[in-house]
Amino acid sequence: MIPAPFDYERAESVDDALELLGSGRDAKLLAGGHSLLPLMRLRLARPELLVDIGRLSDLAYVREDGDRIAIGALTRHHDVTNDDLLREANPLVAHTAGEIGDPQVRHRGTIGGSIAHGDPAADFPAVLVALDAELVARGPQGERTIAAGECFSGFFETTLAPDEVLTEIRVPKLDGAEWTYLKFHRRAQDWATVAVAAVRSNGSARVALTNMGPTPVRARGVEEALASGADPSRAAERAAEGTSPPSDTQASAEFRGHLARVLTRRALEQVLR
Ligand code: FAD
C-alpha cells in the first residue's frame, strides 16, 4: 500500500530535529526507515511529518568511554557488526547486530531505531537488558540517561518521549566475560521466534529473553536458581517463569515456553563451561 500523505524535513543536527519534533505536528523521526516505512505503508502509522535524522553522521560512531563503549544511535547494524573496537571489547553486541535481518536491512537499519521501535521480536533489546546497558536521550529539557531495563514499557512502546531523540547507547566492556546470544528463527533472515542472551561475569550470570512477552524479559528465576547452585539444566527449567509469550503464525505460546527453556539451557552450558 501507499502511505498516507506526510510532510518531510531533513534535520541538520539533533537540535534541529528537536525543534521539528516540538513543532506541534504529529512528527516521527526517520532513521533507517526499515521499521517505520513498512508501518506507514500498511497505514498502521500515519505521521503528519517525517523528521529525517538518517544523515546525522555525528550520531554514527563507536568509541571508548571509560569502562564502557559508546555507540551513536545512528550507527547502522552493519557497522556495529564490523567495528573492531566492539568486536574486541563487547563482541556480544557486534555478534547480535550480525544476526539481524539480511545484508540490506543491516546496511540501512540503525541501533537507535531498533531500540526506539520497541519491537518485542527485535534482537538488540534483550541483549542490552542482559548487559545492563545505558541509553542516552535528548529532549527539550536536556539530556537524560535511561537504564535499558527501564526503556521497554510495552508492545512497541518505550519510555522515550515523542519529543526525545535517542542519541547514544553505552555498553560495558566484557573484559573476558562469557557471553552468547542464541536466536531461534525459521529462516536465516527472520525475526526471532524466541532468543536468549546470557552474560557471565564476576561469578554471576545475567539472562534475558527476546519475544517471550511484549518487552524483553530478564529471566530472574534462572538467575536466582544459578545463584543458589543449580546446574544449567535445572536453572533453565525456570526460563519461562513470569513471561507472557504470544501465539502467532510462527509459534504457539506453549512452544515458545519450550524454546525458552531449551535455548536457555544451551546458553548457560556455553557461558558456564
Ligand atoms: P526507523 O524505521 O527509521 O524508525 C523506527 C522507529 O524508531 C520510528 O518510530 C522512529 O521514529 C524511531 N526512531 C528511530 N531513530 C530514533 C532515535 N534516534 N531516537 C528516537 N526515536 C527514533 N530487527 C531485528 O532486531 N531482527 C531482525 O531479524 C530483523 N529483521 C528484519 C527484516 C526485515 C525484512 C526488515 C525490513 C526489518 C528487520 N528488522 C529486524 C528491523 C530492523 O532492524 C530495523 O532497521 C530497526 O528495527 C529499526 O531501525 P531503523 O533505523 O530502520 O528505524
Side-chain angles (χ1 to χ4, degrees):
M1 264 170 64
I2 299 172
F6 59 89
D7 290 332
Y8 171 90
E9 299 273 3
R10 187 188 297 169
E12 303 296 338
S13 64
V14 174
D15 286 339
D16 198 15
L18 290 174
E19 199 170 311
L20 288 161
L21 286 179
S23 63
R25 286 180 284 175
D26 175 22
K28 275 256 172 218
L29 295 173
L30 176 70
H34 266 52
S35 291
L36 180 57
L37 296 183
L39 285 185
M40 289 173 63
R41 291 183 64 182
L42 292 167
R43 302 212 173 187
L44 293 171
R46 305 168 72 121
E48 280 173 57
L49 170 65
L50 278 191
V51 178
D52 188 354
I53 54 171
R55 290 177 180 81
L56 297 185
S57 53
D58 53 339
L59 286 188
Y61 57 82
V62 177
R63 57 183 173 233
E64 230 164 342
D65 179 17
D67 59 354
R68 302 213 145 210
I69 303 293
I71 308 169
L74 261 290
T75 312
R76 299 190 191 273
H77 307 322
H78 171 84
D79 298 325
V80 171
T81 313
N82 291 296
D83 185 83
D84 288 340
L85 177 59
L86 263 181
R87 288 167 82 110
E88 174 71 28
N90 193 318
L92 171 56
V93 171
H95 167 80
T96 303
E99 292 286 294
I100 294 174
D102 53 35
Q104 182 184 342
V105 172
R106 293 196 290 274
H107 276 88
R108 292 298 310 163
T110 65
I111 186 168
S114 177
I115 295 163
H117 192 53
D119 184 340
D123 294 299
F124 275 131
V127 167
L128 297 177
V129 167
L131 284 169
D132 281 334
E134 282 177 358
L135 314 176
V136 181
R138 270 182 61 192
Q141 265 73 54
E143 194 171 274
R144 69 182 178 118
T145 304
I146 310 161
E150 305 290 316
C151 177
F152 304 98
S153 48
F155 189 63
F156 289 93
E157 276 179 16
T158 70
T159 54
L160 288 166
D163 57 357
E164 280 185 316
V165 178
L166 176 62
T167 54
E168 189 172 273
I169 295 93
R170 295 179 187 149
V171 296
K173 293 179 185 169
L174 287 182
D175 288 334
E178 298 292 330
W179 59 269
T180 191
Y181 183 65
L182 298 182
K183 174 174 176 175
F184 183 91
H185 45 176
R186 291 185 175 205
R187 300 173 306 168
Q189 73 271 33
D190 278 346
W191 277 265
T193 306
V194 172
V196 58
V199 182
R200 182 173 66 96
S201 59
N202 302 323
S204 68
R206 294 188 303 279
V207 181
L209 299 160
T210 301
N211 218 3
M212 284 297 287
T215 64
V217 185
R218 185 92 177 254
R220 300 274 181 200
V222 174
E223 295 175 5
E224 279 167 24
L226 289 172
S228 311
D231 64 20
S233 175
R234 295 300 295 273
E237 285 170 14
R238 297 184 60 183
E241 265 182 31
T243 63
S244 49
S247 282
D248 55 28
T249 52
Q250 294 293 313
S252 65
E254 188 188 8
F255 182 48
R256 282 196 162 89
H258 169 73
L259 284 175
R261 288 185 285 275
V262 171
L263 293 175
T264 300
R265 176 179 51 75
R266 291 180 188 166
L268 295 180
E269 284 167 354
Q270 283 185 29
V271 301
L272 298 172
R273 73 187 154 207

